[in-house]
Amino acid sequence: MSGGLRAALAAGRFALTAELGPPRGADTEDFLHRARLLSGWVDAVNITDNQGARVRMSSLGGAVIAGRAGLSPVMQLTCRDRNRMALQSDLLAAGALGVPQVLLLTGDHPRFGDHPESRPVFDVDAVQAIGIARAMRDDGVLLSGEPLSANPGWLIGAVENPFAPPAGFRARRLAKKVAAGAEFVQTQYVFDVEPLRRWMAELVDLGVPPRCAVLPGVGPIRSLRMLEFLRTGVPGISVPPAVEKRLRGVLPGRVAEEGIRLCVETLQQLPDIPGVSGAHVMAFGFERGVPEILDRAGLGPVPCEPDRPVVVSGR
Amino acid sequence: METERFSWPRPFRPRIPGSGGYRSNRLLRRNAVWARLGALLERTPWGYRLFTATERVTKEQLFGCRMCGQCALPTTGYTCPMTCPKELRNGPCGGVSPTGMCEVHPSLRCVWVQAYERAEANGHTGDLDLLHHPADHREWGRSAWVNHWQGHETPPADPGPLLHRQLGVTPR
Ligand code: SF4
């Protein structure tokens, strides 16, 4: 088992994470199969939380199963499905079960999911949720001020979309999350490195990178259908025209390969950008392709580190 | 696309420029007179109701106010964050379209894109860095003005010291 994100960052290594969606069902066979494909190639896997507002096994369940399979899970928690009480109780459970990383995010609105008729919660926002988690871990208190019997020990993560407007506020908004307590951040898909560079320069200016590890998100576009879906079906993703042109410019049978090549090229540019600590690979349903992508980019597999208990730090 | 029956909050375009809001702030900021009025209103239920109704109508017309009772307007470029479908009080989500449209209502502009533009136009971008606490849902329907004058609200925290605080170089 790898030592997770904490060990990778502590070692100053280029950290690698990947996304892994829990099953829509009560079985684990396919999930474990996909988990095994990533095992050894990344430092941690993000267990998504009803991603795209579509119901799946809870991220806590997925994180525990992934942990048993030898992966270091990042348990995602959205503010869409939980009020401040549910957030805190899930965070405590994650602490008790030894989940080494938690990541707090606002979450997609149910309007796009499989239960558009549902009532979203949005009791607190991601910045507040991160602050709540930090207070639980470092100060040992709930939002109410009540003390915890033992503090959880997870690393706290956040997400950011560097490419969404208002452009002048995106870096500052991440700085708010870091001020609230985020220690690592994974970004929305990066298809164009130049705007990422500019955003990173702003972050360096704000003093974010030494306090918070930045892991830009990458992923292969494997078909023109997926390109259309990313362009129109997923909020907050912008596919630059140059990428679109390149994918449409090849023979239909070569789109998948071209998409992978694009992803590899992006990955190769990341280590040289000041402030970037790693990369986050999003390849939904294409976990088998992740080792190849990382290999071609000259990254991974991650070194094996001795198992480290990451459970509770009692007080 | 959406019908009016769809009842999630909808991004609202303020009906007055930000500068008007900032001027009103100078007028409505807490002082001894307003504190006295607030105390008086809290003691007279009918007066409080009348006052709250006036606040509701005014702010609803100008800012799409939903009466959360803990007004963020002075720190958000006079754009109401509670008209964001996710009611985000600390900035926009990641779903804003490249053209600045809302993820939930693609025909309407994101309130935080508007907030940023309005704050910037008035030299108030620094306000957007403030850390807003989770909303107190017991205050819905109550007068945010009276709450402000009476000190019943938790003011947003200045992240300055937080940002510059040694959070501990990652990982802790
Ligand atoms: S009181 Fe609340 S709902 Fe009304 S304008 Fe202010 S922030 Fe918006």
Side-chain angles (χ1 to χ4, degrees), chain A residues 124-215:
Chain A
V124 298
D125 62 32
V127 178
Q128 293 159 353
I130 289 165
I132 290 170
R134 195 197 61 80
M136 288 171 74
R137 188 195 57 195
D138 298 349
D139 309 335
V141 291
L142 295 174
L143 181 62
S144 62
E146 261 159 302
L148 304 177
S149 57
N151 301 14
W154 15 252
L155 205 64
I156 303 170
V159 294
E160 184 52 278
N161 183 353
F163 313 114
F169 188 38
R170 284 292 161 184
R172 302 201 74 92
R173 178 172 173 267
L174 177 58
K176 285 178 80 162
K177 290 185 172 179
V178 176
E183 294 158 300
F184 70 95
V185 59
Q186 296 164 328
T187 78
Q188 186 54 280
Y189 281 108
V190 175
F191 294 116
D192 192 352
V193 176
E194 274 325 300
L196 178 77
R197 265 183 218 282
R198 288 195 291 274
W199 181 71
M200 281 308 308
E202 267 184 79
L203 288 184
V204 171
D205 241 23
L206 290 169
V208 166
R211 296 190 185 88
C212 172
V214 183
L215 283 66

Side-chain angles (χ1 to χ4, degrees), chain A residues 6 10 84 106-109 111-112 118-120 122-125 127-128 134 137-138 161 164-166 168-170 172-173 175-176 178-179 183 210-212 235-236, chain B residues 1-2 8 86 88-98 100 103-104 106 112-113 116 128-135 137 162-165 167 169-172:
Chain A
R6 195 187 295 259
R84 57 196 84 183
T106 310
D108 296 316
H109 198 279
R111 177 204 141 133
F112 299 95
S118 91
R119 177 181 185 131
F122 299 120
D123 181 21
V124 298
D125 62 32
V127 178
Q128 293 159 353
R134 195 197 61 80
R137 188 195 57 195
D138 298 349
N161 183 353
F169 188 38
R170 284 292 161 184
R172 302 201 74 92
R173 178 172 173 267
K176 285 178 80 162
V178 176
E183 294 158 300
R211 296 190 185 88
C212 172
Chain B
M1 188 194 289
E2 254 100 39
W8 306 130
K86 299 181 183 175
L88 301 182
R89 289 174 76 94
N90 274 301
C93 71
V96 187
S97 84
E103 158 185 328
V104 183
W112 276 100
V113 170
Y116 182 77
L128 303 178
D129 293 343
L130 296 174
L131 294 171
H132 287 263
H133 301 279
H137 294 289
L162 283 165
L163 249 188
H164 301 292
R165 174 184 72 186
L167 275 168
V169 174
T170 307
R172 296 180 61 95

Side-chain angles (χ1 to χ4, degrees), chain A residues 52-72:
Chain A
R54 291 169 190 279
V55 171
R56 285 165 177 272
M57 180 189 292
S58 79
S59 55
L60 179 58
V64 170
I65 295 168
R68 275 197 222 141
L71 293 158
S72 176

Side-chain angles (χ1 to χ4, degrees), chain B residues 59 63 65-73 80-82 89 144:
Chain B
K59 278 163 70 181
F63 306 108
C65 173
R66 298 173 59 228
M67 293 299 279
C68 72
Q70 44 224 297
C71 200
L73 286 177
C80 171
M82 302 316 265
R89 289 174 76 94

Side-chain angles (χ1 to χ4, degrees), chain A:
Chain A
M1 174 181 176
S2 67
L5 212 43
R6 195 187 295 259
L9 296 172
R13 208 151 37 69
F14 191 77
L16 293 169
T17 56
E19 206 120 313
L20 187 63
R24 183 182 293 119
D27 60 326
T28 58
E29 202 180 313
D30 172 62
F31 180 66
L32 284 173
H33 171 67
R34 286 182 292 127
R36 274 187 213 110
L37 292 170
L38 295 170
S39 180
W41 282 91
V42 290
D43 294 294
V45 284
N46 279 45
I47 310 299
T48 55
D49 180 19
N50 291 339
Q51 187 166 28
R54 291 169 190 279
V55 171
R56 285 165 177 272
M57 180 189 292
S58 79
S59 55
L60 179 58
V64 170
I65 295 168
R68 275 197 222 141
L71 293 158
S72 176
V74 177
M75 180 178 89
Q76 296 195 177
L77 280 180
T78 65
C79 301
R80 173 196 59 227
D81 303 337
R82 293 172 184 80
N83 66 1
R84 57 196 84 183
M85 294 177 72
L87 266 175
Q88 293 179 97
S89 62
D90 280 352
L91 283 169
L92 285 179
L97 290 163
V99 173
Q101 293 104 191
V102 294
L103 184 150
L104 298 135
L105 69 164
T106 310
D108 296 316
H109 198 279
R111 177 204 141 133
F112 299 95
D114 55 0
H115 294 70
E117 76 284 13
S118 91
R119 177 181 185 131
V121 183
F122 299 120
D123 181 21
V124 298
D125 62 32
V127 178
Q128 293 159 353
I130 289 165
I132 290 170
R134 195 197 61 80
M136 288 171 74
R137 188 195 57 195
D138 298 349
D139 309 335
V141 291
L142 295 174
L143 181 62
S144 62
E146 261 159 302
L148 304 177
S149 57
N151 301 14
W154 15 252
L155 205 64
I156 303 170
V159 294
E160 184 52 278
N161 183 353
F163 313 114
F169 188 38
R170 284 292 161 184
R172 302 201 74 92
R173 178 172 173 267
L174 177 58
K176 285 178 80 162
K177 290 185 172 179
V178 176
E183 294 158 300
F184 70 95
V185 59
Q186 296 164 328
T187 78
Q188 186 54 280
Y189 281 108
V190 175
F191 294 116
D192 192 352
V193 176
E194 274 325 300
L196 178 77
R197 265 183 218 282
R198 288 195 291 274
W199 181 71
M200 281 308 308
E202 267 184 79
L203 288 184
V204 171
D205 241 23
L206 290 169
V208 166
R211 296 190 185 88
C212 172
V214 183
L215 283 66
V218 297
I221 304 180
R222 293 174 51 240
S223 63
L224 295 181
R225 235 186 77 211
M226 183 175 168
L227 173 71
E228 253 340 279
F229 176 68
L230 288 182
R231 264 167 37 89
T232 55
V234 193
I237 293 188
S238 56
V239 185
V243 168
E244 204 184 327
K245 212 172 132 206
R246 202 168 139 184
L247 289 172
R248 290 192 193 283
V250 297
L251 293 171
R254 308 269 310 151
V255 175
E257 167 56 26
E258 195 64 25
I260 291 177
R261 195 173 296 165
L262 254 160
C263 177
V264 169
E265 285 169 20
T266 311
L267 265 171
Q268 284 169 331
Q269 297 179 63
L270 295 182
D272 298 330
I273 302 176
V276 169
S277 319
H280 176 58
V281 186
M282 295 177 271
F284 302 102
F286 187 55
E287 285 81 6
R288 69 195 145 83
V290 173
E292 187 200 325
I293 292 174
L294 291 174
D295 191 40
R296 280 170 62 176
L299 304 166
V302 298
C304 225
E305 271 155 74
D307 217 342
R308 285 213 286 168
V310 262
V311 202
V312 237
S313 66
R315 279 215 167 179

